[in-house]
Amino acid sequence: MAVRPLKPEELRWKCPMDALDFKTTDDIKPTGEIVGQERAIRALKLGLEIPSIGYNMFVTGVSGTGRETTIKRILDGMDTTTDDLRDIMYVRNMEEPGNPVVLTFPAGDGSRFVDALEECVALLKSNIPAVLSSEKAEMESRALKTTFSDRKKGIMEQVKNKASKDGFTIVNVPVGPGEFRPDVLPVMNDEPVTFDTLEGMKDEGKLSQEDLDRYTQQHEDLFKELTQAFRKTRDLDIEFKAKIEKMSRRLVQPTIAGIIAILKEIGDDKADRWADSLVDIILENLSDFAGSSDDNDPYVLFIPNLIVDNSGNRKRPVLIEEFPDSVSLFGNIERVIVDNKPYSDHTMIRPGAIHMADGGYLIMNALDLVREPSLWQRLIQTLRNQTTVIRCHDPMGIYPVHLHPEPLDTNVKVILIGSSMLYQLLASYEPEFGLLFRIRAAFDFTMEATKDNVRDFANVVAGIIRSEKLLPMNPGAVAQLVEESARIAGIPERISLEFNRVTDYLRQSTYFARRGGDVTVTEEHVREAIRQKIFRLNLGETYATRQIVDRTVMIDTEGRKVGQVNGLAVYQGVDYAFGLPVRITTRVSAGRKGLINVERESDMSGTTHTKGMLIISGFIQGKFAREYPLSLSASVVFEQSYGGIEGDSASSTELYVLLSALSELPVRQDIAVTGSVNQFGEIQAIGGVNEKIEGFYRVCCGRGLTGEQGVMIPGANVKDLHLRENVIESVSEGRFHIYPVDCIDEGAELLMGTRAGELMPDGMYEPDTIYGKVDRRLRQMAETLRSFAFHD
């Protein structure tokens, strides 16, 4: 069963040129339509248009597939006009200043409320003093003053008369510079006499001790009455002041209430209650408000803090928060240091993105949130409770602020953008994730390579060229770009939708065109951009290939050898992948250890590779050891491999080398092999087929192409081929070959140049065939082992 090498036209998908019916991309009018994302668009529209709680969205996909752009375009295309937007305002809590009150208004009413409040303050400042200084207020004040003055005079007259009757009088005794105190002193010869004088008179014999004691007792009694009188007059002063204040409040209350009523024309019941609290606070502190000045203005307490103002807005806000943190997302409470102590009030509350997007959509990168666990947890709490809390951001706790603004009900739809892996992790480990993010919009990273899609792809390219002012491309250049996108996709007849990578090629192609003085980008400019990108990234590949070419790493590219075959491996970097050949060898002997995976024994083998080795054992047992025990010890090793081995793409290669060692038939060293195998000997598809072929091709070119060299691949991978032009050129010239095989029989015959062999009726394989030689060798091993066991 001869294996036919592939033709050049089978080695690369070609862009249909009839889909590119233009002279240059300048002839294309970009539509701005989203390309290849019908599934994601439907999911986004569903999530955006359902207002229910929990219909937040998580948008997954590869970076560069237009996730953020698509969301914005869908929103731009939607009618987001609404009458439900609101203004958000924080005001002072007159009863508990540490807990500012949040007020909400229909869009535009918040600024009206602010203006109305300013008008009220201006009216209060002018009207309160005017009312208190009015004729009516003056008349009532004078009447009260007269009444209380008469009452005070009457009280003092009683004490004065009592003192006069007892021969005393009320005097003011100096106690300091400009200071006096009331006292009662006896009167002698119509003059008040101090007790010091009386003591002197007693000493001179002019006054008896009995009279002195009588004066002293009378003084004590009268002084008590004087003290009580002064206490009564003081109480009358307090009562007078209270009466005046009550009168003032009674007179001014209608004016204040009438002015504050302006506010009640705007807000809801909660705003009305806050307005009523203004009336109460003014009346309770009327003297302060009546005597307000620029240096002492109690009206600053009324200053509102309008943190969200939707005046003039009719469309739901769309906010992209590119740098989310606790402050930018949830807001903050600013502070100032006064006397080495932090101070904050309601005017220092600052909104976050979740407030600015109120009533609309907030778009964020999910990875930015989960990098800071506390931020992610706070977002989950906010969405779960439908409540937003503003806190002071003080990570060090040096200046704590005891201000607790009233929480606000959350009214925003959150759209997170992230990878599929991150989505799976959050869905698995965040208990409430599925309830809060009910819509997943999965962006595809490829689309079918149909003619219509190729036209759409060209339309996107034209749009990028126009937006970035790049040079126009001719159809050949666009075709080259489409074909490179097909290679990036890595899936048969599909085009990559990673337009960030496409855009890089567009920019670089324009650079090379301008450097050459061209005004149009051609296919050669695109090829040059591709070649230069490979050159920038393939330093590691170059060194690795050089080590093989100069035989530091032992790889044969000519001749035949028993128990040795060239396998192929892919080395995946962050931004570049390349393939290289690797020598696989085996040694066999009679024994009971079976197939020994050297990589596994040295802890360098992954689970999938180990599975492949076990599959090979199953193939050998099913193919040959049906009538006798498998008495084989065989070690299989990847030579000069010092890293881990994973994957089963070399399992067919390992089976070929085992068949060679058992049959003692040499294997062609000018053919490298890749492919997975199952227990029935069928060759299965593998990944990285293009990189593997090109890796062996580079080694052969380094040593010199002989015209016999090539690579054997699974037939199932033919549709995945998208090789570089230099490989295709060598195939066209007959200097390199690509062989597709579907089963082990085909591959073994190609590598060993001998028929695989058929099973005959007697249970034996045809002699002088690969399987015949293997079967004979295995029977000999079984007999050898049995004979040794018999002698023992």
Side-chain angles (χ1 to χ4, degrees):
M1 53 181 77
V3 178
R4 177 187 68 83
L6 295 175
K7 299 177 181 178
E9 56 270 20
E10 297 177 278
L11 304 181
R12 181 184 177 95
W13 176 81
K14 287 291 184 180
C15 175
M17 294 303 296
D18 54 349
L20 307 175
D21 50 351
F22 54 85
K23 290 184 179 181
T24 70
T25 51
D26 281 346
D27 300 334
I28 302 175
K29 184 178 180 181
T31 62
E33 294 182 359
I34 309 302
V35 175
Q37 302 293 356
E38 181 62 28
R39 178 183 289 102
I41 289 173
R42 289 186 183 182
L44 284 171
K45 287 184 176 179
L46 178 69
L48 291 172
E49 294 176 358
I50 293 181
S52 303
I53 294 174
Y55 277 83
N56 301 295
M57 286 173 286
F58 198 105
V59 181
T60 62
V62 177
S63 178
T65 52
R67 295 169 298 179
E68 185 176 310
T69 301
T70 301
I71 295 169
K72 290 190 289 188
R73 287 186 180 176
I74 291 176
L75 287 170
D76 289 341
M78 288 174 54
D79 182 11
T80 57
T81 303
T82 180
D83 294 326
D84 296 333
L85 294 183
R86 59 182 181 172
D87 297 336
I88 303 173
M89 176 189 301
Y90 273 99
V91 293
R92 181 182 179 87
N93 186 333
M94 298 304 172
E95 296 180 357
E96 299 179 20
N99 301 316
V101 175
V102 64
L103 303 178
T104 59
F105 304 87
D109 282 0
S111 59
R112 287 181 55 213
F113 192 86
V114 172
D115 294 340
L117 187 54
E118 290 180 358
E119 180 184 356
C120 289
V121 168
L123 291 172
L124 290 169
K125 285 183 175 182
S126 61
N127 281 268
I128 290 176
V131 172
L132 295 179
S133 60
S134 66
E135 183 177 353
K136 182 178 181 181
E138 290 290 341
M139 288 177 60
E140 292 194 21
S141 177
R142 284 196 300 269
L144 283 172
K145 188 174 183 180
T146 300
T147 300
F148 277 86
S149 178
D150 292 343
R151 290 174 63 186
K152 288 169 62 178
K153 186 182 294 185
I155 292 172
M156 294 307 296
E157 282 295 330
Q158 289 179 3
V159 177
K160 185 176 181 182
N161 292 337
K162 178 71 167 49
S164 178
K165 182 179 178 181
D166 293 341
F168 280 74
T169 187
I170 299 174
V171 297
N172 288 320
V173 179
V175 294
E179 296 183 359
F180 301 90
R181 66 174 178 81
D183 201 351
V184 288
L185 295 176
V187 177
M188 291 184 178
N189 299 322
D190 297 328
E191 292 292 334
V193 179
T194 65
F195 278 88
D196 291 339
T197 302
L198 293 177
E199 287 286 347
M201 292 173 67
K202 181 180 79 66
D203 294 339
E204 295 173 359
K206 296 179 181 181
L207 186 69
S208 66
Q209 182 64 46
E210 182 180 348
D211 289 337
L212 180 60
D213 291 341
R214 179 174 52 83
Y215 280 125
T216 301
Q217 183 62 47
Q218 286 178 322
H219 174 267
E220 290 180 0
D221 294 341
L222 290 172
F223 190 78
K224 287 181 181 179
E225 292 187 21
L226 178 62
T227 302
Q228 291 175 354
F230 271 102
R231 185 177 295 116
K232 289 178 181 179
T233 59
R234 186 188 60 192
D235 291 343
L236 286 175
D237 287 338
I238 295 173
E239 184 181 352
F240 172 72
K241 185 178 179 181
K243 291 283 187 180
I244 290 293
E245 290 179 353
K246 185 176 181 180
M247 176 207 70
S248 299
R249 286 196 293 270
R250 175 173 52 79
L251 293 176
V252 83
Q253 195 275 339
T255 300
I256 297 173
I259 293 173
I260 295 299
I262 298 173
L263 298 178
K264 296 186 176 183
E265 298 175 0
I266 301 174
D268 56 12
D269 292 343
K270 187 176 182 181
D272 290 350
R273 289 194 297 273
W274 184 75
D276 289 337
S277 74
L278 300 186
V279 177
D280 296 338
I281 202 72
I282 293 173
L283 294 176
E284 290 171 5
N285 303 273
L286 187 57
S287 59
D288 293 331
F289 284 92
S292 66
S293 63
D294 293 339
D295 295 331
N296 182 24
D297 187 2
Y299 290 100
V300 296
L301 302 178
F302 298 173
I303 296 175
N305 183 6
L306 185 61
I307 64 172
V308 177
D309 184 6
N310 278 311
S311 299
N313 293 340
R314 293 285 316 279
K315 291 185 176 294
R316 298 187 184 277
V318 178
L319 188 63
I320 301 174
E321 181 52 60
E322 297 180 345
F323 304 99
D325 56 29
S326 179
V327 173
S328 66
L329 188 54
F330 296 104
N332 190 26
I333 303 173
E334 296 180 350
R335 60 199 164 186
V336 294
I337 305 301
V338 180
D339 296 331
N340 291 323
K341 295 181 180 179
Y343 171 79
S344 291
D345 60 32
H346 69 282
T347 62
M348 298 180 181
I349 298 172
R350 300 293 177 259
I354 206 162
H355 303 96
M356 303 309 294
D358 187 75
Y361 310 94
L362 177 58
I363 305 170
M364 294 180 288
N365 189 303
L367 189 58
D368 292 338
L369 297 172
V370 298
R371 281 194 179 110
E372 188 176 342
S374 60
L375 188 62
W376 170 257
Q377 192 60 38
R378 191 170 173 185
L379 176 65
I380 291 296
Q381 291 170 348
T382 298
L383 296 179
R384 178 189 64 212
N385 299 322
Q386 289 293 293
T387 302
T388 303
V389 178
I390 300 179
R391 301 170 182 158
C392 179
H393 182 67
D394 184 21
M396 303 300 293
I398 299 176
Y399 294 110
V401 171
H402 302 290
L403 195 71
H404 306 284
E406 181 183 2
L408 173 72
D409 58 296
T410 303
N411 182 29
V412 64
K413 189 178 289 291
V414 175
I415 304 171
L416 299 184
I417 299 175
S419 66
S420 296
M421 179 179 292
L422 181 57
Y423 176 87
Q424 296 295 336
L425 287 172
L426 292 174
S428 299
Y429 295 103
E430 177 57 66
E432 298 167 304
F433 182 78
L435 298 175
L436 299 176
F437 292 88
R438 296 177 182 268
I439 298 295
R440 178 188 181 184
F443 272 66
D444 203 343
F445 62 95
T446 66
M447 65 178 178
E448 291 185 16
T450 63
K451 290 183 179 181
D452 288 340
N453 284 345
V454 169
R455 290 190 187 96
D456 291 341
F457 187 94
N459 193 284
V460 174
V461 167
I464 296 172
I465 289 173
R466 188 163 301 181
S467 66
E468 299 210 3
K469 298 181 174 56
L470 304 176
L471 292 180
M473 305 182 87
N474 67 18
V478 175
Q480 191 69 33
L481 195 60
V482 172
E483 291 175 15
E484 183 64 19
S485 295
R487 179 180 169 106
I488 292 172
I491 301 176
E493 297 187 358
R494 294 190 72 84
I495 305 172
S496 172
L497 292 172
E498 296 180 59
F499 285 108
N500 59 335
R501 300 173 70 172
V502 172
T503 303
D504 282 341
Y505 282 127
L506 292 175
R507 295 166 181 154
Q508 294 164 28
S509 300
T510 291
Y511 166 78
F512 291 116
R514 284 175 174 160
R515 193 176 69 172
D518 297 317
V519 296
T520 302
V521 175
T522 65
E523 53 266 41
E524 184 53 38
H525 296 133
V526 178
R527 291 194 188 102
E528 180 63 17
I530 296 170
R531 285 193 294 267
Q532 289 299 322
K533 180 177 181 180
I534 293 173
F535 179 73
R536 291 194 301 273
L537 300 176
N538 71 349
L539 181 62
E541 174 190 52
T542 301
Y543 276 104
T545 302
R546 185 181 300 162
Q547 287 185 314
I548 295 175
V549 172
D550 64 15
R551 302 186 188 281
T552 301
V553 175
M554 299 171 64
I555 297 291
D556 293 327
T557 55
E558 297 182 63
R560 295 171 179 264
K561 286 190 177 180
V562 175
Q564 177 179 306
V565 69
N566 288 327
L568 292 167
V570 172
Y571 298 85
Q572 180 68 56
V574 175
D575 49 11
Y576 186 69
F578 62 92
L580 285 176
V582 56
R583 175 180 287 181
I584 302 176
T585 62
T586 188
R587 301 298 296 269
V588 298
S589 66
R592 298 190 184 279
K593 292 184 179 181
L595 197 58
I596 301 172
N597 179 2
V598 175
E599 267 67 36
R600 184 185 67 181
E601 297 300 321
S602 57
D603 292 329
M604 296 175 64
S605 172
T607 55
T608 307
H609 180 255
T610 301
K611 176 186 175 183
M613 295 296 291
L614 296 175
I615 289 173
I616 293 173
S617 297
F619 173 85
I620 295 295
Q621 291 170 353
K623 194 77 172 177
F624 302 106
R626 298 184 306 276
E627 299 177 353
Y628 55 87
L630 188 61
S631 307
L632 168 69
S633 290
S635 62
V636 180
V637 63
F638 283 66
E639 302 288 1
Q640 292 183 281
S641 173
Y642 307 108
I645 302 296
E646 180 58 303
D648 65 347
S649 64
S651 58
S652 67
T653 313
E654 293 163 322
L655 180 52
Y656 291 134
V657 74
L658 182 60
L659 293 175
S660 170
L662 289 171
S663 66
E664 298 183 338
L665 291 172
V667 173
R668 290 179 61 176
Q669 301 300 298
D670 53 7
I671 294 179
V673 183
T674 184
S676 169
V677 67
N678 62 26
Q679 292 190 111
F680 297 99
E682 298 170 322
I683 304 299
Q684 302 167 144
I686 46 84
V689 64
N690 293 302
E691 289 80 3
K692 291 176 178 178
I693 293 172
E694 290 164 358
F696 189 64
Y697 173 78
R698 282 191 304 275
V699 171
C700 293
C701 287
R703 298 230 179 119
L705 293 175
T706 64
E708 300 297 327
Q709 293 146 332
V711 175
M712 188 164 67
I713 66 171
N717 280 119
V718 172
K719 62 182 181 303
D720 300 321
L721 292 177
H722 203 91
L723 298 172
R724 297 295 182 195
E725 287 81 357
N726 56 347
V727 181
I728 297 175
E729 182 179 353
S730 295
V731 171
S732 300
E733 295 170 354
R735 298 192 297 154
F736 198 75
H737 311 278
I738 313 296
Y739 300 98
V741 296
D742 296 316
C743 63
I744 285 293
D745 295 5
E746 294 177 354
E749 291 180 357
L750 177 63
L751 291 173
M752 302 177 206
T754 303
R755 289 180 54 243
E758 298 290 338
L759 186 65
M760 298 186 296
D762 60 359
M764 303 286 287
Y765 283 94
E766 298 173 277
D768 297 326
T769 63
I770 298 172
Y771 291 157
K773 292 177 181 291
V774 171
D775 186 50
R776 184 169 61 252
R777 181 74 180 278
L778 289 174
R779 290 177 184 272
Q780 291 173 354
M781 289 178 175
E783 182 61 31
T784 299
L785 202 62
R786 185 166 47 248
S787 64
F788 272 95
F790 176 77
H791 289 300
D792 290 344

